[in-house]
């Protein structure tokens, strides 16, 4: 990854931070972006620097806003050509369809799906010109199967899986084996230990401990009964960036302890 620049959305926390640290350890320059208070942002940038990207920098943007995405891509591109784009920023809200606030639908679709359309339309042409590019979209098992109470989340993640396949096809012939080509893939995690799933752990504690909540959550759907760690998703994302992965495109890779094998 030496000499490559990566833009990782949602890298101030959770899976995005795990991916940013893994890419940094492999030698990439990393553009960190996401929301959070100044302490959280500083801690994320230092963690990415410590992992091996001393030049790592924070670029602010609320990715629900297409104009903010255009501005973000512009400033990051002025810093380094974007060779790796990780669309990871995402949000969740659980409620039955009839009680889902319409504003949550709009926000979740804007962030989890439309933001990836905008970053990809801006970044993919440059990748094709250079003959190398990697787009990694962090979807979810909920891009492959549904669960109750997650209408906008599931709709956005199924959309992201479909969008990624279209982009993979449109750029499949860019570059060469030697240059590494341009690939677009989704990673589809089951439960990963991050702040995003804390409300769902809390909802299953039933008066017990956090561990009881975790056990209840995993036993519903994830047969391994183990959560994935953000750095484990980071290791897969980093492998997808290797030149040898030039022919792995348009895929949706589950990391779900067997959830979608059932
Ligand atoms: P997280 O809450 O720890 O991190 C989310 C990141 O997105 C943060 O950096 C946050 O600042 C950023 N973000 C939120 N709203 C934003 C906005 N409007 N503009 C810009 N950035 C914004 O969550 P996570 O669990 O690390 O989730 C990362 C991705 O992984 C999401 O797309 C999520 O759907 C997906 N995912 C998570 C799990 C899981 O179990 N944790 C499972 C499957 C998929």
């Amino acid at each position: 990854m030496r000499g490559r620049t990566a833009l990782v959305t949602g890298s101030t926390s959770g899976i995005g931070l795990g991916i940013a640290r893994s890419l940094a350890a492999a030698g990439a320059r990393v553009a960190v972006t996401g929301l959070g208070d100044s302490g959280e942002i500083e801690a994320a940038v230092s963690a990415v620097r410590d992992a091996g990207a001393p030049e790592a920098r924070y670029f602010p943007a609320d990715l629900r806003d297409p104009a903010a995405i255009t501005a973000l891509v512009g400033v990051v591109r002025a810093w380094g050509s974007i060779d790796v784009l990780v669309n990871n920023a995402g949000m969740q809200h659980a409620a039955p369809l009839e009680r889902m606030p319409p504003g949550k639908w709009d926000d979740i679709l804007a962030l989890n799906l439309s933001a990836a359309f905008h970053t990809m339309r801006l970044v993919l042409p440059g990748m094709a010109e250079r003959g190398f590019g990697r787009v990694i979209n962090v979807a979810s098992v909920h891009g492959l199967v549904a669960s109750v109470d997650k209408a906008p989340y599931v709709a956005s993640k199924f959309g992201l899986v479909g969008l990624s396949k279209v982009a993979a096809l449109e750029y499949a012939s860019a570059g060469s084996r030697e240059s590494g080509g341009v690939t677009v893939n989704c990673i589809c995690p089951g439960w990963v230990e991050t702040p995003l799933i804390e409300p769902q752990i809390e909802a299953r504690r039933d008066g017990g401990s956090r561990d009881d909540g975790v056990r209840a959550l995993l036993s519903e759907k994830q047969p391994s009964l183990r959560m994935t760690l953000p750095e484990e998703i980071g290791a897969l994302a980093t492998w997808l960036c290797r030149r040898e992965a030039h022919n792995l495109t348009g895929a949706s890779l589950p990391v779900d302890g067997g959830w979608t094998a059932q």
Side-chain angles (χ1 to χ4, degrees):
M1 299 293 298
R2 298 252 165 250
R4 308 260 194 228
T5 298
L7 168 60
V8 184
T9 73
S11 44
T12 51
S13 169
I15 295 173
L17 180 54
I19 293 175
R21 293 185 74 241
S22 179
L23 291 172
R29 297 169 89 215
V30 181
V32 174
T33 186
L35 306 180
D37 60 34
S38 57
E40 191 183 6
I41 290 166
E42 271 166 35
V45 174
S46 337
V48 177
R49 287 186 177 150
D50 291 349
E55 292 174 88
R57 262 184 63 186
Y58 173 68
F59 297 85
D62 185 330
L63 300 179
R64 290 169 299 180
D65 174 9
I69 295 172
T70 304
L72 171 72
V73 170
V75 290
V76 176
R77 242 190 328 226
W79 183 66
S81 60
I82 302 172
D83 307 301
V84 175
L85 167 66
V86 182
N87 286 304
N88 162 81
M91 59 186 289
Q92 163 78 283
H93 183 83
L97 190 62
E98 65 194 47
R99 293 207 296 276
M100 183 63 71
K104 290 286 180 197
W105 171 273
D106 291 343
D107 278 350
I108 292 173
L109 269 286
L111 180 63
N112 296 13
L113 176 57
S114 300
F117 162 71
H118 290 296
T119 55
M120 284 198 285
R121 80 183 167 77
L122 295 167
V123 164
L124 276 163
M127 291 179 169
E129 269 171 35
R130 294 187 297 276
F132 178 87
R134 295 288 183 264
V135 178
I136 298 165
N137 292 327
V138 180
S140 167
V141 285
H142 287 115
L144 304 172
V145 293
S147 295
V148 295
D149 296 343
K150 294 186 176 173
Y153 189 78
V154 170
S156 70
K157 297 296 187 178
F158 268 72
L160 186 58
V161 166
L163 169 66
S164 305
K165 288 180 198 280
V166 173
L169 291 175
E170 292 186 4
Y171 286 88
S173 64
S176 63
R177 184 191 307 279
E178 289 68 35
S179 68
V182 175
T183 68
V184 182
N185 291 292
C186 282
I187 296 178
C188 297
W191 297 120
V192 183
E193 188 137 19
T194 75
L196 185 92
I197 66 166
E198 285 304 321
Q200 298 175 80
I201 294 172
E202 188 60 35
R204 286 164 182 81
R205 276 177 55 177
D206 200 21
S209 66
R210 182 178 179 276
D211 281 352
D212 294 331
V214 169
R215 251 189 305 280
L217 189 67
L218 289 170
S219 62
E220 280 171 21
K221 298 205 163 163
Q222 191 150 309
S224 66
L225 301 180
R226 293 187 299 273
M227 279 207 261
T228 302
L229 300 176
E231 58 265 34
E232 294 163 354
I233 303 290
L236 174 58
T238 300
W239 187 83
L240 286 171
C241 293
R242 292 174 65 104
R243 195 194 51 77
E244 296 94 308
H246 67 94
N247 244 351
L248 203 173
T249 195
S252 304
L253 304 167
V255 184
D256 65 0
W259 181 328
T260 54
Q262 300 169 96

